[in-house]
């Protein structure tokens, strides 16, 4: 079962299944192990981009060993300054971890699932060694994504993890979708998108998305904390179409933060389009400095966590 194409993101891997009488299809890329497309019964749930293009705005990437930004790429470990490469276009920040340009290796594959793995090697700014993997498995209503991070080095390693899917609901214009973020507090940021250290109650503010706001009315590159937990300890956030269709992001209990990003400049085969990313995160921006949400893995320790995307018809 070879990849279907070669592109700036390496091989494309098709996943197909029919589960509970419903048809599922997804495409995962070799580079950054990104989720490039997903559909249930022909309804597209991920915003695609041209085959010969790099993912606009980090679409679909796996973000490890930190999501979001590290201010100036600078942090301190055990009293020693650590300088990461500043990779944010137009900004002096280290963006979205260390594996965004890395070709992952396939370790397991079936028609409806794939597991990919990659190593984080000791390097400037991050002197730790990790083994990571991500598994995409089709489900009746979408896809389940599970991650594993293992500290294969000799010293404790700080780890955060996230993902960057751009969600959609078929041909419904994204501007007409309602965004619901089930979280009680908003993380305040400065003009470089770095947290100021202040977290505010969303009640009565423009950042209250608990009952939803239309995408056309907002301009977002924001994160929320204090997500409301479901009975399983996780949380759920979603986009809803005017007819009641939903695409739902469910995060397990390891993910305590969610980021939303909107743009009118997402490159598609037909030109620029409005798009919205809904991003599960275990830690907010600049966590290597604040320590907020970081998981410190001891040598030999393994961390498993998961999230999913599900389609709910009207």
């Amino acid at each position: 079962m070879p990849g279907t194409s070669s592109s700036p993101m390496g091989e494309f891997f098709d996943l197909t299944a029919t589960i509970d009488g419903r048809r599922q299809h997804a495409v995962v890329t070799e580079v950054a192990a990104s989720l490039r497309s997903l559909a249930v019964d022909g309804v597209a749930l991920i915003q695609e981009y041209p085959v010969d293009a790099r993912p606009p705005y980090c679409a679909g990437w796996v973000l490890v060993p930190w999501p979001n930004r590290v201010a100036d790429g600078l942090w301190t470990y055990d009293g020693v300054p650590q300088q990461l490469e500043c990779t944010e276009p137009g900004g002096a920040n280290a963006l979205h971890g260390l594996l965004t340009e890395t070709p992952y290796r396939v370790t397991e594959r079936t028609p409806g699932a794939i597991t990919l793995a990659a190593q984080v090697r000791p390097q400037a700014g991050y002197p730790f060694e990790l083994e990571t993997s991500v598994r995409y498995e089709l489900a009746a209503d979408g896809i389940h994504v599970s991650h594993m991070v293992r500290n294969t080095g000799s010293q404790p390693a700080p780890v955060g993890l996230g993902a960057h899917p751009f969600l959609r609901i078929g041909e419904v214009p994204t501007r007409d979708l309602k965004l619901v973020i089930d979280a009680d507090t908003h993380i305040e940021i400065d003009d470089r998108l770095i947290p100021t250290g202040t977290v505010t109650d969303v009640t009565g503010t423009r950042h209250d998305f608990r009952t939803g706001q239309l995408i056309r009315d907002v301009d977002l590159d924001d994160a929320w904390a204090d997500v409301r937990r479901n009975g399983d300890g996780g949380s759920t956030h979603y986009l809803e179409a005017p007819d009641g269709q939903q695409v739902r992001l469910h995060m397990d209990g390891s993910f305590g933060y969610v980021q939303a990003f909107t743009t009118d400049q997402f490159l598609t085969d037909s030109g620029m389009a409005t798009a919205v990313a809904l991003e599960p995160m275990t830690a907010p921006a600049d966590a290597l400095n604040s320590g907020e949400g970081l998981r410190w893995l001891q040598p030999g320790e393994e961390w498993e966590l998961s999230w999913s995307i599900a389609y709910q018809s009207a």
Side-chain angles (χ1 to χ4, degrees):
M1 290 177 287
T4 60
S5 178
S6 183
S7 79
M9 299 306 290
E11 294 292 327
F12 291 170
F13 303 107
D14 268 301
L15 305 179
T16 58
T18 301
I19 304 170
D20 294 345
R22 307 179 78 180
R23 296 175 292 107
Q24 303 83 23
H25 176 251
V27 176
V28 175
T29 72
E30 176 187 20
V31 175
S34 66
L35 182 60
R36 188 180 191 279
S37 68
L38 173 66
V40 173
D41 288 336
V43 178
L45 305 177
I46 293 287
Q47 181 63 63
E48 292 190 44
Y49 51 89
V51 169
D52 59 354
R54 287 182 53 78
Y57 300 101
C58 317
W61 286 358
V62 172
L63 316 176
V64 66
W66 71 86
N68 216 293
R69 294 159 176 83
V70 178
D72 300 312
L74 182 64
W75 66 289
T76 300
Y77 174 71
D78 200 20
V80 179
Q82 304 291 329
Q83 181 64 63
L84 296 157
E85 181 183 359
C86 290
T87 54
E88 183 176 25
N93 301 312
L95 186 66
H96 288 333
L98 297 171
L99 295 180
T100 58
E101 304 292 335
T102 297
Y104 281 60
R105 64 187 185 279
V106 177
T107 62
E108 186 178 0
R109 181 122 186 246
T110 67
I114 190 169
T115 303
L116 303 106
Q119 286 183 302
V120 174
R121 300 187 183 279
Q123 56 197 275
Y126 195 82
F128 311 100
E129 184 176 322
L130 307 173
E131 180 68 32
T132 79
S133 69
V134 55
R135 178 174 177 82
Y136 294 96
E137 184 170 4
L138 293 173
D141 55 2
I143 199 163
H144 182 81
V145 186
S146 53
H147 300 267
M148 185 281 297
V149 183
R150 181 187 300 114
N151 183 354
T152 53
S154 59
Q155 56 188 335
V159 178
L161 188 143
H164 210 291
F166 278 82
L167 304 184
R168 64 184 292 188
I169 302 178
E171 299 308 311
V172 180
T174 297
R175 291 176 58 82
D176 294 341
L177 300 177
K178 180 173 70 173
L179 172 63
V180 174
I181 296 175
D182 200 14
D184 290 331
T185 59
H186 175 262
I187 298 174
E188 302 301 320
I189 53 177
D190 63 19
D191 57 2
R192 296 173 56 206
L193 304 178
I194 300 299
T196 63
T198 299
V199 177
T200 57
D201 186 334
V202 299
T203 303
T205 76
R206 63 187 179 89
H207 296 120
D208 191 346
F209 281 77
R210 291 173 296 189
T211 59
Q213 297 186 44
L214 289 173
I215 294 299
R216 69 161 70 95
D217 295 333
V218 298
D219 180 13
L220 298 173
D221 199 348
D222 293 80
W224 286 259
D226 295 298
V227 296
R228 293 180 172 183
R229 302 293 183 173
N230 302 326
D232 62 0
S235 66
T236 302
H237 318 272
Y238 59 92
L239 292 170
E240 184 175 77
D243 65 359
Q245 295 180 88
Q246 293 180 359
V247 57
R248 302 173 71 87
L249 170 72
H250 179 73
M251 319 186 304
D252 80 6
S254 292
F255 293 93
Y257 306 84
V258 62
Q259 180 98 9
F261 169 69
T262 59
T263 177
D264 291 324
Q265 298 295 314
F266 191 99
L267 179 64
T268 71
D269 284 323
S270 57
M272 297 299 180
T274 299
V276 55
L278 198 54
E279 309 165 34
M281 303 192 303
T282 66
D286 211 30
L288 287 176
N289 282 303
S290 70
E292 186 73 25
L294 277 186
R295 175 73 176 259
W296 283 87
L297 292 181
Q298 299 301 311
E301 185 180 1
E302 186 174 298
W303 185 22
E304 296 182 353
L305 57 163
S306 66
W307 54 278
S308 62
I309 295 172
Y311 171 62
Q312 183 174 300
S313 59

